[in-house]
Amino acid sequence: MATTFKNILSTDMATTRTLLHEAIPITGTIVSGTYEDKNIKYYAHGMFESVYDYPYLSSSANRIFDLTYGYSSGLSAPANPQNDEKLNIYSEMSLVLMGTDGTGSIQEFDRDGDIVGGGEKMNACIFICYARLLTKDEIKKGSYTFSFIDGSLGLKTLGDYGAQTDYRVNSPAGEYGLLYTSSVGPDYGDPVGHLYYQAGIAVITASDGIWPNASQSAWIDTNSITGACDDVRNMWVDNNLQNTTELNSTIYFCRADSGEFNYSSNDTYLTQSKIIVKNDDASANPQSYITTIGLYSADNELLATAKLSEPVEKNPTNSLIFRVRLDY
Amino acid sequence: MAFLDNSGDIILDAVLTDTGRMRMAKGDGSFKITKFALGDDEINYKLFDGTATTGEQDLQIMSTPILEAFSNNTSGMKSKLISLANNPGLYMPVIRENNKVDATTGPTSNDYNTWLCAVDAETQGYTSSGGDTTGDLVKALGDYSAGDFFKVGVLTGFQGAGPYIMVDQGIDSGEDGPSAVSAISAELYESQYLIEMDSRLCSLISSDASTTAAVSFIDDDQIASYYLSQAVNTTFVETNPGAGKPEASQQVIGGPRGSRLMFAIRASLNLQTSVALFTRLGSTFTTPGSPNPAQTYFYIDSNIRVTGVTTGSRVDIPIRFCKWKETA
């Protein structure tokens, strides 16, 4: 019986998981400078601002992150500009990223991540919310650095140093690492923020004066949220991270044994009904040239196709295995 | 689609087809790859140079650039490779449309050299009282009488039996090949056919209009697939009555003959009752006007593809769907 299909056995299939990492640089010239802030989108509500990689009115622009600022109720004062908005931002972020305690109260950002042990809270924070376009499935642990101008001292760099092996899992939003100002381990000094890997959000404290060119009190009682965010942008020098894409793949091993797929239904294969490649020799080996592999359902619907970059000869003297990988 | 880079190692470019994505989105388990086929769509076997030295005969074939994978499920895998258990010698079977039987000669007689399908009562010249219609396509085509469907190749797409399409399978050998009195080997006998047609335009019925074929599935491009086997669909598939006989008068296969497929089509309700698809997909034409008055018809040109499921050979049958518009 002539056949054009061959069944794929369960032993001809394998599933794999691959983590793909891309390096993402966000330079300070993009965040402030190159596009004269035409790539910064402000909103009437003033609760955050969006940074694009190109003037945002262009259809080719991509939003790369949002910046916002908030503080906890302990810093609340009715006279502060956007007092309610700053409170709301902080409570939204802490609700999503830190969750609530046993009584239903929203927990503040714990500086060292040891919530049960108590300790210092970060009660005013800058939030950098990266777009999924950049972070994909998650930020790679230990890949994050953020540099900004440190006044007369030059450059200050934050990073999730050591996070490959040391990160926290007590957040409802997934895993997070601690941001430090020094890469010298094992004691990196006091943490100055959190980096939520799956959520793609960096939370950096604004309460201990790590932002030298901005006045902490001004952010609270003089500046709006966008004012604080603009200060951060103007201090921005460099930001690097690696994202992670989780590829789940199914590999199909398509085996063409020696006696299989040696003839073709191609319109040019025959002259009338005579096989051209046999060259008028009935005993000659047939041959065919493979360019395409089609993967089919049981009812013969073509579900996936794979193309070879060049034809591969098939004849009764060879046997081929094609490894077709479909990523999901 | 661009060509694949063939300057280095052989690479494999795999994509899900649109149907594959649709089935995956359904989430009903219909996305299940169970078999594969190999194709050689880009290969022109006529480039095989039998006079060249061994190793150089397929030089031009092997340098054929390969296109990237098509994601449209009906655009790829047009010609599949075939597995045969036994060496068939020099000859392989083909599928040919038979226009030599009385009921099938019509398309060779009309000016358009194709099957015409009258989609509604007016165009088919049908009235419940048995009278004529102004838009009778048969009469408008020339010196014909109402009901001369067979003479001019007008399929009765509205109702009733009429001419039908016939496809023969076998080895179309020349004088030096096996003769028609020889039997085709069981391995090369085609017992199952796949018929693909645009479901928006028509559906499949038997040649005597007594049976409507069950559609196997309709893909995302509205292409309906019908599987017809000799064992089940006896009104559609039969052994060629000329098999093993020398007669040649009503045969298109010169050598050993295999099976025969016969079918007609019924116009869709959409074509019968509306001109929407005609204005979107087609145009108009006007008949010569002699001896009967010239008439203007809407038309859509389409193809019906017949593929042998076992041997993979196929034939495309052009068809023009006609609907009377007005007297010219």
Side-chain angles (χ1 to χ4, degrees):
Chain A
M1 184 77 157
T3 56
T4 53
F5 293 107
K6 184 173 182 183
N7 287 334
I8 296 174
L9 307 175
S10 58
T11 52
D12 293 330
M13 286 187 282
T15 56
T16 62
R17 178 173 165 270
T18 310
L19 297 180
L20 183 70
H21 303 293
E22 298 170 301
I24 308 292
I26 305 172
T27 61
T29 52
I30 291 178
V31 177
S32 64
T34 299
Y35 301 114
E36 298 173 335
D37 286 358
K38 289 175 183 170
N39 62 325
I40 311 301
K41 190 172 185 179
Y42 297 101
Y43 301 91
H45 53 65
M47 293 184 74
F48 64 89
E49 64 187 46
S50 298
V51 179
Y52 287 70
D53 62 355
Y54 197 66
Y56 65 83
L57 290 176
S58 165
S59 60
S60 60
N62 298 296
R63 188 170 60 91
I64 53 177
F65 64 85
D66 295 326
L67 269 176
T68 186
Y69 166 77
Y71 52 58
S72 65
S73 55
L75 297 173
S76 173
N80 291 345
Q82 289 191 295
N83 184 55
D84 289 345
E85 286 83 354
K86 290 171 182 172
L87 288 170
N88 290 347
I89 287 290
Y90 187 90
S91 59
E92 178 190 348
M93 288 296 181
S94 52
L95 174 63
V96 172
L97 300 175
M98 293 301 290
T100 56
D101 61 16
T103 66
S105 300
I106 299 173
Q107 301 189 116
E108 295 185 2
F109 289 98
D110 191 278
R111 190 157 178 155
D112 61 5
D114 183 3
I115 300 170
V116 175
E120 188 181 346
K121 305 296 181 187
M122 298 187 291
N123 57 3
C125 298
I126 287 289
F127 302 97
I128 308 173
C129 307
Y130 295 97
R132 194 171 62 236
L133 177 73
L134 265 57
T135 62
K136 303 291 175 64
D137 290 334
E138 64 177 87
I139 296 170
K140 183 183 177 185
K141 296 180 185 70
S143 70
Y144 185 87
T145 58
F146 175 35
S147 304
F148 52 93
I149 294 169
D150 189 22
S152 58
L153 297 174
L155 204 64
K156 181 178 282 185
T157 300
L158 310 183
D160 62 337
Y161 305 114
Q164 297 96 324
T165 55
D166 182 11
Y167 55 89
R168 305 289 180 271
V169 294
N170 56 352
S171 161
E175 299 155 347
Y176 66 97
L178 302 177
L179 295 175
Y180 298 96
T181 54
S182 168
S183 62
V184 180
D187 180 5
Y188 304 110
D190 289 336
V192 295
H194 297 170
L195 179 64
Y196 292 84
Y197 296 110
Q198 286 83 25
I201 297 175
V203 180
I204 303 172
T205 182
S207 59
D208 64 353
I210 69 160
W211 303 95
N213 281 10
S215 160
Q216 167 60 18
S217 62
W219 283 4
I220 296 172
D221 58 29
T222 306
N223 281 0
S224 63
I225 291 175
T226 52
C229 295
D230 285 347
D231 283 346
V232 171
R233 280 195 305 107
N234 291 325
M235 285 186 276
W236 195 294
V237 174
D238 202 9
N239 182 196
N240 287 282
L241 59 91
Q242 289 183 35
N243 66 24
T244 303
T245 305
E246 188 176 316
L247 290 177
N248 289 291
S249 310
T250 305
I251 299 169
Y252 299 91
F253 295 95
C254 302
R255 304 173 198 274
D257 293 331
S258 60
E260 297 171 333
F261 302 110
N262 295 319
Y263 299 88
S264 174
S265 61
N266 189 307
D267 286 338
T268 64
Y269 191 69
L270 306 174
T271 300
Q272 282 197 298
S273 272
K274 188 182 282 188
I275 301 170
I276 289 176
V277 295
K278 285 209 168 193
N279 213 13
D280 280 331
D281 179 359
S283 63
N285 274 337
Q287 59 204 67
S288 60
Y289 297 89
I290 302 164
T291 66
T292 313
I293 299 154
L295 301 177
Y296 287 83
S297 63
D299 56 357
N300 296 348
E301 265 285 74
L302 183 61
L303 301 181
T305 56
K307 302 287 284 195
L308 292 159
S309 58
E310 56 188 72
V312 172
E313 182 184 345
K314 180 73 188 73
N315 62 53
T317 67
N318 64 8
S319 173
L320 304 169
I321 300 175
F322 297 100
R323 184 177 174 275
V324 182
R325 194 181 86 180
L326 291 179
D327 296 330
Y328 303 101
Chain B
M1 296 296 163
F3 290 121
L4 291 168
D5 181 1
N6 58 2
S7 60
D9 292 338
I10 297 177
I11 58 167
L12 202 58
D13 168 45
V15 294
L16 290 177
T17 63
D18 45 8
T19 298
R21 291 198 303 270
M22 185 183 76
R23 288 194 176 199
M24 187 171 273
K26 278 183 179 175
D28 59 358
S30 60
F31 182 86
K32 186 170 173 56
I33 291 170
T34 62
K35 59 178 95 170
F36 76 94
L38 303 178
D40 60 356
D41 291 353
E42 290 91 346
I43 301 299
N44 178 5
Y45 286 90
K46 295 196 172 0
L47 296 176
F48 188 86
D49 183 2
T51 63
T53 57
T54 305
E56 293 191 345
Q57 292 173 321
D58 59 0
L59 223 48
Q60 291 190 70
I61 290 178
M62 291 298 283
S63 60
T64 303
I66 309 299
L67 291 164
E68 291 173 320
F70 292 113
S71 57
N72 185 356
N73 65 312
T74 54
S75 301
M77 295 298 292
K78 289 195 289 293
S79 65
K80 297 188 184 76
L81 301 189
I82 305 168
S83 301
L84 293 174
N86 302 300
N87 188 341
L90 278 179
Y91 297 93
M92 293 268 291
V94 293
I95 287 176
R96 300 256 192 268
E97 186 186 359
N98 188 336
N99 289 121
K100 293 187 173 180
V101 176
D102 289 346
T104 66
T105 56
T108 60
S109 306
N110 66 45
D111 292 342
Y112 309 98
N113 202 29
T114 185
W115 285 104
L116 304 171
C117 179
V119 302
D120 59 7
E122 179 70 36
T123 313
Q124 189 178 312
Y126 172 85
T127 62
S128 54
S129 60
D132 288 348
T133 63
T134 307
D136 188 332
L137 179 61
V138 171
K139 288 199 303 181
L141 288 172
D143 191 10
Y144 301 103
S145 304
D148 280 349
F149 302 112
F150 292 88
K151 291 182 180 175
V152 74
V154 173
L155 296 166
T156 52
F158 175 64
Q159 77 156 32
Y164 51 87
I165 297 166
M166 178 181 287
V167 172
D168 285 356
Q169 182 255 349
I171 294 175
D172 190 20
S173 54
E175 291 179 357
D176 58 340
S179 74
V181 296
S182 306
I184 193 168
S185 74
E187 189 175 32
L188 301 178
Y189 185 90
E190 187 59 73
S191 59
Q192 191 178 15
Y193 290 89
L194 164 65
I195 301 170
E196 295 167 287
M197 59 179 68
D198 192 328
S199 66
R200 294 171 299 177
L201 307 180
C202 59
S203 56
L204 190 72
I205 61 172
S206 61
S207 56
D208 59 2
S210 64
T211 309
T212 301
V215 64
S216 297
F217 55 81
I218 297 174
D219 76 3
D220 59 302
D221 302 312
Q222 304 301 311
I223 302 298
S225 295
Y226 298 84
Y227 280 91
L228 302 173
S229 72
Q230 187 168 358
V232 177
N233 308 98
T234 52
T235 55
F236 290 91
V237 186
E238 65 178 22
T239 299
N240 190 326
K245 299 173 185 172
E247 67 183 37
S249 61
Q250 294 189 330
Q251 298 291 341
V252 291
I253 301 292
R257 293 163 190 137
S259 60
R260 170 172 284 178
L261 170 72
M262 296 165 292
F263 63 91
I265 57 171
R266 184 67 76 225
S268 69
L269 201 59
N270 201 339
L271 292 194
Q272 290 184 29
T273 58
S274 164
V275 298
L277 278 176
F278 286 98
T279 54
R280 193 190 312 163
L281 306 175
S283 184
T284 59
F285 72 99
T286 301
T287 54
S290 174
N292 299 314
Q295 305 291 336
T296 300
Y297 295 87
F298 292 106
Y299 76 89
I300 299 172
D301 285 334
S302 184
N303 278 315
I304 296 175
R305 171 169 291 178
V306 178
T307 307
V309 175
T310 308
T311 59
S313 53
R314 71 184 190 283
V315 62
D316 286 341
I317 299 167
I319 188 163
R320 172 171 285 194
F321 295 89
C322 305
K323 187 179 182 74
W324 181 71
K325 183 184 180 190
E326 61 195 4
T327 300

